[in-house]
Amino acid sequence: MSFPAFLETAWSEHTDHPQEVADRLAQSLHRVTAAVDIAPFVHLLTHVFGEHLGQWQGGVDVLESLRRTPAFDGAAEPALNRSIAALRYAGGDDTALASLSVPDRVWALAAAASALAGRVEFTRALAAFAEALRLASAGLPSGSPAVRALAVAGNNLAAALEEKTDRDAGETQAMVTAAEAGLRHWKLAGTWLEEERAEYRLARSLLHAGEPVAAMQSAGRCLELCLRNDAPAFEQFFGYAVLALAQRAAGDHDAFSASRRRAWALREQVPVEERPWCETELEELGG
């Protein structure tokens, strides 16, 4: 099996079988035979050991061992250091970030926030993300990996908090702040697709925060991006679905009915293998 195929298989299995994938990664350092293989291996390993398993030190140990592989030439040292620092910080080591530059510190804090949110450790996740945003407010270099890390963390935090049934007022505000930060940074680090999905996420968070009018505005921007870029039915479905939900929450039942019909029509155009992703929205729309 080629290295790209190995990684693809691991990514496809890691959600359902994280421990098996983690064990496989730890035993597969010999597969890392080229310097270009290290960064994607580090990414997957950090994600699985961190967000999915909370095995912070175990992940650090495997990451450290990458330095002893023949493929390691030092080019991946910054990415390796950031990931090690993120896992150590998430594991409770408050000194883990001391040696990092500000942009790398932002990256590590954002990555730790995502991992901690995945572990339902919201107090620490929100503190890490708030500190990442504070440090980033002075500006980040163009093209810095920290920008994308903030975008990912904002989305992940907002989505996780939307699912929290006992969310308090502070967490609700933090949810919206995270979604707004995700959108802001995806505009810098992503394509129209990431921006469109971030608008969807913000609309969802605003709905959960009891702000349907603002949610409609975000849903409208989501759909504008879809239409401007000839988005597939899958993307447009979610835009119309969240718009309909916001319209219903705002009390505009005629507009809700129209958007709901449009969402249903688009769902019929979605490829069969992608339709299961639409079920939650269909249930919420009364379908």
Side-chain angles (χ1 to χ4, degrees), residues 46 51 82-83 86-87 90 106-116 149-150 153:
T46 304
E51 181 171 339
R82 288 194 298 266
S83 290
L87 289 180
V106 171
W107 189 99
L109 284 164
S114 286
L116 289 165
L150 286 168

Side-chain angles (χ1 to χ4, degrees), residues 46-107:
T46 304
H47 176 69
V48 174
F49 275 88
E51 181 171 339
H52 285 275
L53 295 173
Q55 296 177 8
W56 316 113
Q57 188 57 50
V60 168
D61 291 343
V62 182
L63 287 172
E64 293 277 14
S65 66
L66 279 168
R67 291 194 175 95
R68 298 191 293 273
T69 62
F72 190 81
D73 63 359
E77 186 73 32
L80 193 62
N81 286 338
R82 288 194 298 266
S83 290
I84 289 171
L87 289 180
R88 283 182 171 160
Y89 181 86
D93 182 357
D94 292 334
T95 69
L97 312 181
S99 64
L100 299 181
S101 66
V102 171
D104 283 353
R105 196 173 300 179
V106 171
W107 189 99

Side-chain angles (χ1 to χ4, degrees), residues 34-227:
V36 295
D37 296 340
I38 293 175
F41 191 84
V42 166
H43 179 205
L44 175 57
L45 193 151
T46 304
H47 176 69
V48 174
F49 275 88
E51 181 171 339
H52 285 275
L53 295 173
Q55 296 177 8
W56 316 113
Q57 188 57 50
V60 168
D61 291 343
V62 182
L63 287 172
E64 293 277 14
S65 66
L66 279 168
R67 291 194 175 95
R68 298 191 293 273
T69 62
F72 190 81
D73 63 359
E77 186 73 32
L80 193 62
N81 286 338
R82 288 194 298 266
S83 290
I84 289 171
L87 289 180
R88 283 182 171 160
Y89 181 86
D93 182 357
D94 292 334
T95 69
L97 312 181
S99 64
L100 299 181
S101 66
V102 171
D104 283 353
R105 196 173 300 179
V106 171
W107 189 99
L109 284 164
S114 286
L116 289 165
R119 305 301 301 161
V120 200
E121 295 186 37
F122 288 112
T123 299
R124 296 187 62 222
L126 292 175
F129 191 63
E131 178 63 8
L133 290 178
R134 187 190 70 79
L135 290 173
S137 65
L140 292 168
S142 177
S144 170
V147 178
R148 185 179 182 89
L150 286 168
V152 171
N155 176 84
N156 290 352
L157 269 173
L161 284 166
E162 287 170 19
E163 298 296 320
K164 193 173 188 292
T165 57
D166 59 347
R167 190 179 58 245
D168 61 28
E171 290 170 332
T172 295
Q173 181 55 57
M175 172 185 66
V176 174
T177 297
E180 290 172 338
L183 173 60
R184 186 165 67 251
H185 289 93
W186 274 127
K187 286 181 176 180
L188 299 173
T191 66
W192 70 266
L193 181 62
E194 285 87 8
E195 181 181 349
E196 173 255 310
R197 291 181 174 181
E199 288 283 12
Y200 166 84
R201 179 85 283 136
L202 177 55
R204 276 295 215 173
S205 290
L206 288 165
L207 265 177
H208 281 279
E211 300 182 38
V213 174
M216 282 192 291
Q217 294 169 347
S218 190
R221 293 191 297 270
C222 171
L223 284 168
E224 286 175 10
L225 286 162
C226 284
L227 298 175

